[in-house]
Amino acid sequence: MKVLLDIPDNKASSLMEVLRSISYVKAKPLTDEKALLMEEIKEAVEEIKLIKAGKKKARNAEDFLNEL
């Protein structure tokens, strides 16, 4: 199982010490950029689920490309 935690910087080092002391836990910090990317991907997947469920309307590809 993978778990993503959001921990204040001033508390992170002590928690990382505890996690690393547990033999069956592998813990490594994420960069801010990777954490942001993961959050954006999660939001995109949720939006796709809503579109597939008919709860949200999709944009057409031409409008999307014109926006870029």
Side-chain angles (χ1 to χ4, degrees):
M1 175 189 323
K2 296 189 184 291
V3 178
L4 181 62
L5 303 171
D6 189 7
I7 305 163
D9 288 341
N10 63 337
K11 304 287 184 180
S13 63
S14 59
L15 180 60
M16 289 300 289
E17 268 185 56
V18 170
L19 292 173
R20 287 185 179 130
S21 71
I22 303 170
S23 64
Y24 56 87
V25 174
K26 294 179 183 176
K28 66 178 184 177
L30 290 177
T31 63
D32 290 339
E33 293 81 15
K34 284 186 180 180
L36 178 60
L37 177 62
M38 289 176 63
E39 186 63 33
E40 290 173 346
I41 290 171
K42 179 183 166 196
E43 289 173 9
V45 169
E46 291 300 319
E47 187 172 350
I48 290 169
K49 287 180 182 178
L50 290 173
I51 291 169
K52 285 186 174 184
K55 296 179 180 180
K56 189 170 185 176
K57 187 177 177 189
R59 298 189 291 176
N60 69 36
E62 187 175 327
D63 290 343
F64 175 73
L65 292 174
N66 287 337
E67 191 176 303
L68 295 176

